[in-house]
């Protein structure tokens, strides 16, 4: 008789939740989120054991989602520039993403 697999345990101390303008929550890896200087500073202010939930009420969900994709891209390729592919940005998002990137320091 087969045994059920052991449950996967997540260490929530390695996660941070970013909340966009519509209240939509994005749970992402803390190291990736810290690609932003602003978010890194906010995370460092959180006491141990507190949940890391960071509101960004002025960032629209599609822009926040693309920004998060960039965090993962930057985390993955910053130390491997020779293998770095282009990061695609739809032209209609370019200005908003530049404003958010400037605000977040990434």
């Amino acid at each position: 008789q087969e045994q059920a697999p052991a449950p996967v345990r997540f260490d929530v101390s390695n996660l941070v939740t970013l909340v966009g303008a519509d209240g939509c929550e994005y749970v992402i890896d803390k190291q990736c989120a810290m690609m932003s200087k602003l978010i890194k500073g906010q995370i460092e202010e959180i006491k141990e054991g507190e949940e890391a939930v960071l509101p960004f009420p002025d960032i629209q969900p599609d822009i926040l989602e693309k920004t998060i994709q960039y965090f993962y891209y930057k985390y993955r390729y910053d130390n491997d520039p020779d293998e770095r592919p282009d990061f695609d940005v739809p032209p209609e998002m370019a200005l908003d993403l530049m404003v958010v990137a400037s605000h977040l320091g990434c």
Side-chain angles (χ1 to χ4, degrees):
Q1 185 174 8
E2 289 185 41
Q3 290 183 327
V8 176
R9 297 178 193 267
F10 290 101
D11 182 356
V12 295
S13 68
N14 292 327
L15 301 174
V16 61
T17 302
L18 307 182
V19 184
D22 65 347
C24 192
E25 297 182 353
Y26 300 87
V27 179
I28 69 171
D29 181 86
K30 190 179 287 185
Q31 293 301 312
C32 291
M34 290 173 62
M35 295 289 100
S36 157
K37 292 175 185 142
L38 177 73
I39 292 174
K40 181 178 181 180
Q42 291 175 328
I43 289 171
E44 290 171 350
E45 296 287 318
I46 297 171
K47 295 181 180 95
E48 191 170 329
E50 280 186 16
E51 191 175 358
V53 178
L54 307 176
F56 293 97
D58 297 332
I59 303 178
Q60 294 303 313
D62 58 334
I63 300 300
L64 184 56
E65 186 172 337
K66 193 68 173 176
T67 302
I68 292 166
Q69 290 172 8
Y70 179 73
F71 293 161
Y72 278 89
Y73 169 87
K74 186 169 174 56
Y75 183 77
R76 164 64 179 89
Y77 292 107
D78 254 12
N79 295 322
D80 195 6
D82 294 333
E83 296 297 319
R84 183 185 341 209
D86 290 338
F87 183 76
D88 293 323
V89 174
E92 64 275 8
M93 284 185 165
L95 182 59
D96 290 332
L97 282 170
M98 286 191 313
V99 170
V100 168
S102 176
H103 174 69
L104 296 178
C106 54

XYZ file of all heavy atoms in Angstrom:
844
model
N 0.843 -1.180 0.000
C 0.000 0.000 0.000
C 0.892 1.249 0.000
O 1.849 1.340 0.755
C -0.886 -0.007 1.245
C -1.857 1.107 1.269
C -2.799 0.968 2.462
O -2.621 0.127 3.323
N -3.796 1.795 2.478
N 0.549 2.187 -0.895
C 1.349 3.409 -1.027
C 1.044 4.382 0.100
O -0.094 4.512 0.532
C 1.059 4.093 -2.360
C 1.614 3.344 -3.546
C 1.400 4.124 -4.816
O 1.575 5.349 -4.810
O 1.053 3.484 -5.815
N 2.093 5.036 0.551
C 1.906 6.066 1.561
C 1.713 7.406 0.871
O 2.294 7.669 -0.186
C 3.118 6.167 2.480
C 3.266 4.986 3.401
C 4.457 5.208 4.326
O 5.434 5.811 3.950
N 4.337 4.689 5.539
N 0.915 8.258 1.501
C 0.712 9.604 0.963
C 2.012 10.387 1.109
O 2.742 10.211 2.088
C -0.412 10.297 1.723
N 2.313 11.226 0.130
C 3.542 12.019 0.251
C 3.441 12.990 1.426
O 2.355 13.411 1.817
C 3.623 12.770 -1.077
C 2.256 12.714 -1.648
C 1.581 11.507 -1.083
N 4.590 13.290 1.969
C 4.626 14.244 3.085
C 4.180 15.610 2.588
O 4.447 15.986 1.447
C 6.044 14.331 3.650
N 3.468 16.342 3.422
C 3.015 17.673 2.987
C 4.212 18.603 2.766
O 5.237 18.490 3.436
C 2.152 18.169 4.146
C 2.548 17.340 5.317
C 3.073 16.043 4.777
N 4.056 19.473 1.797
C 5.104 20.459 1.522
C 4.974 21.575 2.551
O 3.888 22.086 2.809
C 4.950 21.031 0.094
C 5.962 22.130 -0.161
C 5.076 19.919 -0.939
N 6.078 21.934 3.135
C 6.069 23.013 4.128
C 6.786 24.223 3.548
O 7.900 24.118 3.068
C 6.746 22.567 5.407
C 6.036 21.417 6.083
C 6.778 20.990 7.328
N 6.287 19.731 7.793
C 5.325 19.598 8.709
N 4.790 20.650 9.250
N 4.925 18.403 9.082
N 6.100 25.343 3.598
C 6.680 26.579 3.109
C 7.157 27.402 4.284
O 6.492 27.506 5.302
C 5.647 27.398 2.317
C 5.292 26.777 1.011
C 4.117 26.056 0.866
C 6.125 26.908 -0.078
C 3.787 25.483 -0.345
C 5.804 26.340 -1.291
C 4.634 25.627 -1.431
N 8.302 27.978 4.129
C 8.821 28.888 5.138
C 8.336 30.282 4.751
O 8.895 30.913 3.865
C 10.349 28.824 5.170
C 10.946 29.720 6.229
O 10.190 30.458 6.905
O 12.169 29.698 6.393
N 7.272 30.741 5.402
C 6.682 32.028 5.040
C 7.600 33.200 5.334
O 7.380 34.299 4.847
C 5.297 32.246 5.703
C 4.293 31.239 5.182
C 5.392 32.204 7.198
N 8.658 32.963 6.100
C 9.600 34.057 6.357
C 10.367 34.420 5.087
O 11.012 35.456 5.023
C 10.563 33.688 7.484
O 11.427 32.648 7.078
N 10.301 33.566 4.069
C 10.960 33.844 2.793
C 10.016 34.451 1.770
O 10.361 34.556 0.597
C 11.565 32.566 2.215
C 12.727 32.074 3.040
O 13.469 32.867 3.613
N 12.877 30.778 3.131
N 8.804 34.823 2.214
C 7.802 35.369 1.303
C 7.394 36.767 1.720
O 7.474 37.131 2.884
C 6.560 34.467 1.281
C 6.787 33.014 0.863
C 5.503 32.217 1.022
C 7.292 32.935 -0.564
N 6.949 37.535 0.747
C 6.405 38.864 1.002
C 5.179 39.014 0.113
O 5.127 38.469 -0.989
C 7.458 39.970 0.723
C 7.911 39.973 -0.709
C 6.944 41.328 1.119
N 4.179 39.726 0.619
C 2.960 39.962 -0.132
C 2.919 41.420 -0.562
O 3.002 42.318 0.275
C 1.714 39.630 0.716
O 1.787 38.265 1.138
C 0.435 39.839 -0.073
N 2.794 41.634 -1.864
C 2.628 42.978 -2.402
C 1.165 43.142 -2.782
O 0.594 42.281 -3.444
C 3.516 43.191 -3.631
C 5.003 42.871 -3.469
C 5.745 43.190 -4.753
C 5.609 43.609 -2.294
N 0.555 44.236 -2.343
C -0.863 44.469 -2.582
C -0.999 45.663 -3.517
O -0.533 46.763 -3.202
C -1.618 44.732 -1.266
C -3.113 44.884 -1.534
C -1.370 43.608 -0.260
N -1.640 45.434 -4.663
C -1.796 46.477 -5.667
C -3.029 47.334 -5.445
O -3.752 47.194 -4.455
N -3.267 48.232 -6.396
C -4.332 49.225 -6.309
C -5.720 48.610 -6.161
O -6.583 49.174 -5.504
C -4.294 50.135 -7.537
N -5.931 47.451 -6.741
C -7.251 46.827 -6.682
C -7.405 45.883 -5.497
O -8.408 45.205 -5.361
C -7.528 46.073 -7.974
C -6.581 44.904 -8.189
O -5.550 44.823 -7.472
O -6.861 44.067 -9.061
N -6.385 45.816 -4.642
C -6.424 44.911 -3.498
C -5.912 43.522 -3.816
O -5.836 42.663 -2.938
N -5.537 43.290 -5.077
C -5.014 41.986 -5.475
C -3.661 41.768 -4.808
O -2.824 42.667 -4.764
C -4.877 41.916 -6.991
S -4.561 40.257 -7.582
N -3.467 40.578 -4.258
C -2.245 40.252 -3.529
C -1.349 39.344 -4.354
O -1.811 38.381 -4.954
C -2.591 39.568 -2.204
C -3.384 40.454 -1.265
C -3.690 39.790 0.067
O -3.398 38.580 0.231
O -4.226 40.490 0.933
N -0.067 39.673 -4.353
C 0.944 38.881 -5.036
C 1.934 38.404 -3.985
O 2.623 39.227 -3.377
C 1.671 39.714 -6.087
C 0.760 40.263 -7.158
C 0.102 41.480 -6.978
C 0.542 39.566 -8.345
C -0.739 41.990 -7.959
C -0.297 40.067 -9.325
C -0.935 41.282 -9.124
O -1.763 41.776 -10.089
N 1.997 37.098 -3.766
C 2.929 36.528 -2.797
C 4.160 36.107 -3.574
O 4.089 35.263 -4.470
C 2.306 35.328 -2.056
C 3.301 34.730 -1.068
C 1.022 35.756 -1.349
N 5.293 36.727 -3.228
C 6.515 36.479 -3.990
C 7.689 36.202 -3.056
O 7.624 36.469 -1.860
C 6.832 37.641 -4.954
C 7.246 38.903 -4.202
C 5.658 37.939 -5.862
C 7.782 39.999 -5.118
N 8.747 35.698 -3.647
C 9.968 35.407 -2.907
C 10.574 36.712 -2.395
O 10.709 37.684 -3.135
C 10.951 34.690 -3.834
C 12.232 34.335 -3.129
O 12.282 33.265 -2.505
O 13.173 35.151 -3.192
N 10.946 36.716 -1.132
C 11.483 37.919 -0.494
C 12.770 38.392 -1.169
O 12.977 39.589 -1.362
C 11.722 37.655 0.992
C 12.051 38.897 1.782
C 12.247 38.580 3.255
C 10.935 38.291 3.918
N 11.067 38.099 5.383
N 13.655 37.468 -1.545
C 14.911 37.854 -2.189
C 14.660 38.556 -3.522
O 15.355 39.511 -3.873
C 15.818 36.637 -2.391
C 16.317 36.034 -1.101
C 17.111 37.035 -0.271
O 17.988 37.726 -0.769
N 16.783 37.128 1.001
N 13.651 38.091 -4.251
C 13.309 38.734 -5.519
C 12.716 40.116 -5.270
O 13.056 41.079 -5.960
C 12.341 37.871 -6.313
S 13.110 36.357 -6.926
N 11.845 40.229 -4.279
C 11.224 41.524 -3.954
C 12.285 42.543 -3.557
O 12.152 43.743 -3.824
C 10.212 41.356 -2.834
N 13.371 42.065 -2.946
C 14.413 42.967 -2.477
C 15.309 43.479 -3.605
O 16.267 44.211 -3.353
C 15.217 42.295 -1.368
C 14.383 42.168 -0.096
S 15.124 41.214 1.238
C 16.583 42.146 1.610
N 14.967 43.173 -4.850
C 15.624 43.803 -5.986
C 15.266 45.290 -6.013
O 15.948 46.095 -6.618
C 15.206 43.142 -7.306
C 15.645 41.688 -7.448
S 17.432 41.500 -7.692
C 17.980 41.066 -6.058
N 14.164 45.637 -5.346
C 13.739 47.026 -5.189
C 14.340 47.579 -3.902
O 14.177 47.008 -2.831
C 12.213 47.095 -5.108
O 11.790 48.271 -4.456
N 15.026 48.723 -4.008
C 15.613 49.347 -2.818
C 14.530 49.768 -1.827
O 14.700 49.619 -0.614
C 16.468 50.540 -3.221
C 17.707 50.150 -3.981
C 18.478 51.361 -4.475
C 19.641 50.886 -5.321
N 19.876 51.742 -6.459
N 13.416 50.281 -2.329
C 12.325 50.701 -1.446
C 11.754 49.505 -0.689
O 11.592 49.546 0.533
C 11.212 51.390 -2.241
C 9.988 51.797 -1.432
C 10.322 52.999 -0.557
C 8.818 52.119 -2.338
N 11.458 48.429 -1.400
C 10.891 47.238 -0.762
C 11.903 46.628 0.204
O 11.535 46.204 1.302
C 10.421 46.219 -1.821
C 9.213 46.788 -2.573
C 10.079 44.878 -1.180
C 8.737 45.941 -3.735
N 13.168 46.606 -0.175
C 14.198 46.076 0.724
C 14.189 46.836 2.047
O 14.223 46.235 3.127
C 15.577 46.164 0.070
C 16.684 45.603 0.930
C 18.022 45.660 0.233
C 19.089 45.052 1.145
N 20.404 45.085 0.533
N 14.118 48.149 1.979
C 14.057 48.965 3.196
C 12.827 48.673 4.026
O 12.890 48.599 5.255
N 11.684 48.494 3.366
C 10.445 48.183 4.084
C 10.534 46.818 4.745
O 10.093 46.643 5.884
C 9.248 48.242 3.127
C 8.931 49.638 2.649
C 7.820 49.654 1.608
O 7.669 48.717 0.818
N 7.055 50.718 1.600
N 11.096 45.846 4.055
C 11.230 44.500 4.611
C 12.147 44.518 5.828
O 11.879 43.858 6.831
C 11.741 43.509 3.539
C 10.632 43.243 2.511
C 12.213 42.208 4.167
C 11.084 42.451 1.300
N 13.216 45.274 5.750
C 14.155 45.345 6.870
C 13.534 45.986 8.108
O 14.002 45.757 9.220
C 15.424 46.096 6.441
C 16.248 45.284 5.462
C 17.393 46.046 4.833
O 17.475 47.295 4.987
O 18.226 45.396 4.166
N 12.456 46.752 7.935
C 11.755 47.384 9.058
C 10.775 46.429 9.753
O 10.321 46.705 10.862
C 10.979 48.616 8.577
C 11.861 49.721 8.030
C 12.609 50.454 9.114
O 12.005 50.736 10.164
O 13.805 50.734 8.910
N 10.428 45.340 9.101
C 9.446 44.399 9.640
C 10.088 43.571 10.743
O 11.171 43.014 10.567
C 8.879 43.491 8.527
C 8.127 44.354 7.507
C 7.972 42.406 9.105
C 7.707 43.606 6.262
N 9.411 43.492 11.862
C 9.919 42.720 13.000
C 9.827 41.228 12.687
O 8.918 40.782 11.996
C 9.118 43.045 14.256
C 9.272 44.471 14.726
C 8.465 44.712 15.985
C 8.635 46.137 16.439
N 7.597 47.022 15.978
N 10.762 40.479 13.238
C 10.763 39.038 13.035
C 9.446 38.442 13.517
O 8.954 38.783 14.590
C 11.932 38.396 13.780
C 12.143 36.959 13.394
C 13.438 36.395 13.942
O 14.410 37.156 14.088
O 13.445 35.190 14.221
N 8.884 37.579 12.709
C 7.622 36.942 13.058
C 6.408 37.672 12.513
O 5.328 37.109 12.449
N 6.570 38.946 12.108
C 5.460 39.689 11.514
C 5.314 39.294 10.053
O 6.296 39.019 9.367
C 5.720 41.205 11.574
C 5.429 41.831 12.895
C 5.578 43.356 12.835
O 5.614 43.932 11.734
O 5.667 43.959 13.904
N 4.074 39.316 9.598
C 3.808 39.007 8.203
C 4.241 40.192 7.345
O 3.979 41.342 7.669
C 2.314 38.736 8.017
C 1.962 38.148 6.690
C 0.494 37.771 6.596
O -0.241 37.939 7.579
O 0.099 37.326 5.514
N 4.924 39.913 6.250
C 5.404 40.964 5.351
C 4.349 41.240 4.287
O 4.282 40.559 3.270
C 6.722 40.555 4.717
N 3.493 42.231 4.548
C 2.465 42.647 3.599
C 2.708 44.122 3.301
O 2.643 44.961 4.202
C 1.037 42.434 4.156
C -0.003 42.921 3.161
C 0.811 40.976 4.503
N 2.998 44.420 2.046
C 3.341 45.780 1.660
C 2.314 46.316 0.667
O 2.181 45.787 -0.438
C 4.739 45.813 1.039
C 5.851 45.184 1.888
C 7.163 45.182 1.120
C 5.997 45.911 3.205
N 1.594 47.365 1.056
C 0.578 47.925 0.157
C 1.181 48.914 -0.842
O 2.041 49.727 -0.495
C -0.373 48.636 1.124
C 0.485 49.013 2.283
C 1.545 47.950 2.385
N 0.726 48.826 -2.063
C 1.081 49.769 -3.115
C -0.205 50.221 -3.798
O -0.504 49.824 -4.931
C 2.064 49.138 -4.109
C 3.392 48.853 -3.491
C 3.700 47.597 -3.003
C 4.331 49.867 -3.354
C 4.929 47.341 -2.404
C 5.558 49.625 -2.748
C 5.855 48.364 -2.273
N -0.989 51.062 -3.105
C -2.320 51.437 -3.594
C -2.303 52.265 -4.872
O -3.347 52.388 -5.526
C -2.913 52.232 -2.426
C -1.731 52.739 -1.668
C -0.661 51.696 -1.835
N -1.153 52.808 -5.261
C -1.086 53.625 -6.468
C -0.601 52.853 -7.696
O -0.497 53.425 -8.775
C -0.164 54.826 -6.235
C -0.687 55.750 -5.149
O -1.913 55.793 -4.948
O 0.134 56.404 -4.491
N -0.285 51.578 -7.520
C 0.225 50.791 -8.645
C -0.876 49.865 -9.156
O -1.373 49.005 -8.431
C 1.478 49.985 -8.250
C 2.577 50.916 -7.723
C 1.987 49.191 -9.453
C 3.832 50.211 -7.263
N -1.236 50.052 -10.418
C -2.269 49.235 -11.043
C -1.798 47.784 -11.163
O -0.592 47.525 -11.303
C -2.635 49.796 -12.420
C -3.299 51.152 -12.362
C -4.558 51.140 -11.502
O -5.414 50.258 -11.628
N -4.677 52.110 -10.603
N -2.738 46.840 -11.103
C -2.366 45.417 -11.061
C -1.504 44.946 -12.231
O -0.552 44.186 -12.029
C -3.696 44.675 -11.042
C -4.766 45.689 -11.036
C -4.164 47.041 -11.043
N -1.795 45.381 -13.449
C -0.985 44.914 -14.580
C 0.446 45.441 -14.498
O 1.402 44.736 -14.829
C -1.629 45.287 -15.913
C -1.846 46.789 -16.091
O -1.976 47.521 -15.081
O -1.916 47.237 -17.246
N 0.605 46.653 -13.988
C 1.936 47.242 -13.834
C 2.679 46.557 -12.689
O 3.869 46.246 -12.807
C 1.838 48.765 -13.594
C 1.146 49.453 -14.776
C 3.210 49.365 -13.333
C 1.830 49.285 -16.112
N 1.982 46.286 -11.584
C 2.614 45.596 -10.461
C 3.043 44.188 -10.871
O 4.145 43.743 -10.541
C 1.680 45.553 -9.246
C 2.267 44.934 -7.980
C 3.552 45.635 -7.558
C 1.243 44.974 -6.846
N 2.201 43.509 -11.616
C 2.544 42.156 -12.058
C 3.786 42.167 -12.959
O 4.694 41.343 -12.802
C 1.367 41.524 -12.800
C 1.604 40.083 -13.163
C 0.366 39.397 -13.716
O -0.766 39.844 -13.447
O 0.554 38.398 -14.423
N 3.866 43.109 -13.884
C 5.036 43.197 -14.766
C 6.280 43.586 -13.962
O 7.383 43.098 -14.225
C 4.776 44.210 -15.886
C 5.777 44.138 -16.997
C 5.649 42.831 -17.766
C 6.520 42.803 -18.996
N 6.477 41.522 -19.688
N 6.102 44.433 -12.953
C 7.213 44.820 -12.083
C 7.740 43.606 -11.333
O 8.959 43.411 -11.215
C 6.754 45.911 -11.092
O 6.265 47.032 -11.837
C 7.878 46.353 -10.190
N 6.845 42.766 -10.842
C 7.242 41.536 -10.142
C 7.988 40.601 -11.096
O 8.997 39.994 -10.720
C 6.013 40.856 -9.506
C 5.483 41.723 -8.358
C 6.339 39.438 -9.043
C 4.102 41.334 -7.871
N 7.525 40.513 -12.325
C 8.239 39.705 -13.317
C 9.666 40.223 -13.487
O 10.614 39.443 -13.601
C 7.511 39.731 -14.660
C 6.212 38.981 -14.667
C 5.424 39.184 -15.963
O 5.915 39.774 -16.923
N 4.197 38.706 -15.986
N 9.803 41.546 -13.459
C 11.137 42.134 -13.582
C 12.004 41.797 -12.368
O 13.201 41.537 -12.515
C 11.062 43.649 -13.770
C 12.440 44.259 -13.874
C 13.196 44.085 -15.032
C 12.993 44.956 -12.813
C 14.482 44.597 -15.124
C 14.275 45.479 -12.906
C 15.013 45.303 -14.057
O 16.283 45.802 -14.145
N 11.412 41.786 -11.158
C 12.183 41.402 -9.963
C 12.785 40.015 -10.146
O 13.961 39.788 -9.851
C 11.308 41.395 -8.701
C 10.798 42.728 -8.251
C 9.716 42.794 -7.401
C 11.383 43.916 -8.660
C 9.226 44.011 -6.952
C 10.906 45.137 -8.219
C 9.820 45.188 -7.364
N 11.970 39.061 -10.613
C 12.457 37.694 -10.815
C 13.522 37.653 -11.916
O 14.525 36.954 -11.804
C 11.305 36.743 -11.139
C 10.572 36.272 -9.902
C 9.502 36.983 -9.385
C 10.973 35.109 -9.245
C 8.841 36.553 -8.247
C 10.321 34.662 -8.108
C 9.250 35.392 -7.616
O 8.606 34.961 -6.489
N 13.292 38.411 -12.981
C 14.255 38.497 -14.083
C 15.583 39.051 -13.570
O 16.644 38.487 -13.832
C 13.667 39.404 -15.167
C 14.621 39.816 -16.255
C 14.814 39.014 -17.378
C 15.302 41.030 -16.182
C 15.680 39.401 -18.391
C 16.169 41.421 -17.183
C 16.352 40.612 -18.284
O 17.214 41.000 -19.285
N 15.536 40.140 -12.835
C 16.738 40.775 -12.302
C 17.461 39.840 -11.333
O 18.679 39.694 -11.389
C 16.370 42.089 -11.607
C 17.550 42.908 -11.133
C 17.088 44.285 -10.704
C 18.170 45.113 -10.075
N 19.346 45.301 -10.860
N 16.700 39.174 -10.466
C 17.284 38.234 -9.510
C 18.004 37.098 -10.248
O 19.102 36.698 -9.886
C 16.188 37.681 -8.596
C 16.702 36.751 -7.532
C 17.335 37.245 -6.396
C 16.546 35.380 -7.655
C 17.803 36.388 -5.411
C 17.011 34.518 -6.673
C 17.638 35.029 -5.558
O 18.107 34.183 -4.591
N 17.375 36.619 -11.298
C 17.925 35.478 -12.050
C 19.161 35.857 -12.862
O 20.132 35.116 -12.926
C 16.844 34.902 -12.977
C 17.313 33.975 -14.089
C 17.952 32.698 -13.577
N 18.367 31.829 -14.645
C 19.559 31.861 -15.241
N 20.465 32.737 -14.900
N 19.857 31.003 -16.200
N 19.146 37.029 -13.502
C 20.175 37.338 -14.491
C 21.209 38.386 -14.061
O 22.159 38.619 -14.802
C 19.532 37.788 -15.808
C 18.796 36.665 -16.484
C 17.411 36.637 -16.508
C 19.494 35.611 -17.079
C 16.731 35.602 -17.122
C 18.817 34.566 -17.686
C 17.441 34.564 -17.705
O 16.779 33.530 -18.308
N 21.069 39.020 -12.916
C 22.039 40.049 -12.529
C 23.470 39.517 -12.465
O 24.407 40.232 -12.785
C 21.663 40.690 -11.192
C 21.105 42.085 -11.382
O 20.800 42.459 -12.526
O 20.969 42.810 -10.384
N 23.636 38.277 -12.052
C 24.976 37.703 -11.953
C 25.359 36.879 -13.172
O 26.384 36.192 -13.160
C 25.082 36.848 -10.685
C 24.954 37.699 -9.443
O 25.460 38.816 -9.396
N 24.255 37.190 -8.453
N 24.535 36.933 -14.204
C 24.789 36.151 -15.417
C 24.475 37.000 -16.654
O 23.624 36.640 -17.467
C 23.920 34.891 -15.377
C 24.355 33.847 -16.387
O 25.400 34.040 -17.047
O 23.631 32.852 -16.526
N 25.152 38.142 -16.815
C 24.804 39.056 -17.903
C 25.001 38.478 -19.304
O 24.314 38.895 -20.232
C 25.712 40.269 -17.667
C 26.824 39.771 -16.821
C 26.276 38.634 -16.014
N 25.883 37.511 -19.455
C 26.111 36.927 -20.778
C 24.924 36.098 -21.250
O 24.743 35.911 -22.450
C 27.375 36.068 -20.776
C 28.625 36.895 -20.549
O 28.612 38.102 -20.893
O 29.615 36.348 -20.014
N 24.158 35.581 -20.328
C 23.010 34.738 -20.667
C 21.683 35.488 -20.557
O 20.630 34.904 -20.731
C 22.971 33.512 -19.743
C 24.154 32.595 -19.907
C 24.235 31.977 -21.302
O 23.194 31.586 -21.851
O 25.353 31.900 -21.842
N 21.742 36.785 -20.278
C 20.533 37.575 -20.038
C 19.767 37.833 -21.337
O 20.273 38.502 -22.229
C 20.913 38.909 -19.405
C 19.741 39.759 -19.057
C 20.134 41.108 -18.536
N 21.510 41.127 -18.074
C 21.960 41.904 -17.119
N 21.173 42.752 -16.536
N 23.225 41.865 -16.753
N 18.527 37.334 -21.406
C 17.694 37.653 -22.573
C 17.092 39.051 -22.398
O 17.164 39.638 -21.319
C 16.600 36.579 -22.516
C 16.471 36.262 -21.065
C 17.861 36.424 -20.484
N 16.503 39.559 -23.446
C 15.801 40.837 -23.339
C 14.597 40.679 -22.419
O 13.992 39.603 -22.366
C 15.319 41.310 -24.704
C 16.464 41.733 -25.609
O 17.549 42.056 -25.094
O 16.261 41.723 -26.841
N 14.286 41.741 -21.696
C 13.066 41.760 -20.880
C 12.023 42.525 -21.687
O 12.171 43.724 -21.925
C 13.323 42.445 -19.533
C 12.121 42.430 -18.626
C 11.765 41.275 -17.958
C 11.347 43.574 -18.453
C 10.651 41.249 -17.129
C 10.240 43.557 -17.626
C 9.891 42.395 -16.962
N 11.013 41.805 -22.128
C 10.003 42.410 -22.995
C 9.033 43.272 -22.207
O 8.473 42.837 -21.195
C 9.225 41.317 -23.749
C 10.109 40.585 -24.753
O 10.961 41.251 -25.378
O 9.955 39.366 -24.898
N 8.840 44.481 -22.697
C 7.897 45.421 -22.101
C 6.959 45.898 -23.209
O 7.417 46.477 -24.203
C 8.625 46.637 -21.485
C 7.636 47.673 -20.995
C 9.549 46.196 -20.369
N 5.663 45.668 -23.046
C 4.723 46.188 -24.041
C 4.816 47.718 -24.098
O 4.902 48.370 -23.056
C 3.349 45.751 -23.514
C 3.639 44.625 -22.566
C 4.988 44.910 -21.998
N 4.841 48.289 -25.291
C 4.993 49.739 -25.424
C 3.985 50.541 -24.602
O 4.322 51.577 -24.040
C 4.804 49.995 -26.918
C 5.120 48.699 -27.578
C 4.740 47.626 -26.596
N 2.760 50.041 -24.489
C 1.728 50.774 -23.746
C 1.989 50.791 -22.239
O 1.391 51.573 -21.507
C 0.325 50.227 -24.039
C 0.077 48.803 -23.591
C 0.522 47.732 -24.584
O 1.180 48.056 -25.595
O 0.201 46.555 -24.336
N 2.902 49.947 -21.758
C 3.244 49.902 -20.331
C 4.538 50.640 -20.012
O 4.838 50.881 -18.851
C 3.443 48.449 -19.872
C 2.231 47.645 -19.679
S 2.769 46.042 -18.992
C 1.222 45.436 -18.419
N 5.310 50.974 -21.025
C 6.674 51.463 -20.822
C 6.748 52.668 -19.890
O 7.544 52.674 -18.941
C 7.322 51.782 -22.165
N 5.940 53.673 -20.106
C 6.009 54.880 -19.283
C 5.631 54.583 -17.836
O 6.340 54.987 -16.907
C 5.121 55.985 -19.856
C 5.149 57.310 -19.098
C 6.565 57.874 -19.049
C 4.203 58.305 -19.736
N 4.522 53.859 -17.645
C 4.096 53.520 -16.283
C 5.150 52.683 -15.563
O 5.407 52.881 -14.380
C 2.763 52.767 -16.294
C 1.587 53.644 -16.691
O 1.655 54.872 -16.440
O 0.611 53.124 -17.256
N 5.767 51.755 -16.272
C 6.811 50.916 -15.653
C 8.041 51.728 -15.278
O 8.640 51.493 -14.225
C 7.206 49.769 -16.595
C 6.242 48.603 -16.626
C 6.600 47.646 -17.757
C 6.208 47.869 -15.302
N 8.390 52.714 -16.112
C 9.539 53.563 -15.764
C 9.252 54.379 -14.514
O 10.124 54.532 -13.650
C 9.901 54.479 -16.935
C 10.576 53.734 -18.060
S 11.320 54.773 -19.346
C 10.090 55.958 -19.716
N 8.028 54.881 -14.379
C 7.658 55.648 -13.197
C 7.718 54.770 -11.955
O 8.284 55.153 -10.924
C 6.260 56.284 -13.368
C 5.750 56.875 -12.068
C 6.287 57.344 -14.465
N 7.146 53.567 -12.049
C 7.149 52.641 -10.908
C 8.569 52.206 -10.582
O 8.952 52.162 -9.396
C 6.229 51.427 -11.202
C 6.436 50.329 -10.177
C 4.769 51.865 -11.218
N 9.371 51.892 -11.584
C 10.758 51.487 -11.337
C 11.535 52.586 -10.632
O 12.307 52.322 -9.713
C 11.431 51.117 -12.655
N 11.297 53.814 -11.022
C 11.966 54.940 -10.368
C 11.523 55.048 -8.917
O 12.340 55.232 -8.016
C 11.650 56.232 -11.130
O 12.208 57.329 -10.465
N 10.223 54.930 -8.686
C 9.673 55.004 -7.318
C 10.205 53.879 -6.423
O 10.558 54.105 -5.273
C 8.149 54.961 -7.378
C 7.475 54.880 -6.055
N 7.468 55.917 -5.156
C 6.815 53.854 -5.457
C 6.816 55.543 -4.063
N 6.412 54.309 -4.228
N 10.278 52.675 -6.980
C 10.698 51.505 -6.198
C 12.216 51.366 -6.107
O 12.716 50.579 -5.301
C 10.091 50.224 -6.779
C 8.580 50.098 -6.735
C 8.141 48.795 -7.400
C 8.055 50.165 -5.311
N 12.926 52.087 -6.933
C 14.387 51.989 -6.915
C 14.887 50.672 -7.430
O 15.645 49.962 -6.767
N 14.468 50.318 -8.649
C 14.935 49.053 -9.232
C 15.338 49.238 -10.680
O 15.207 50.246 -11.244
C 13.881 47.968 -9.126
S 12.255 48.355 -9.794
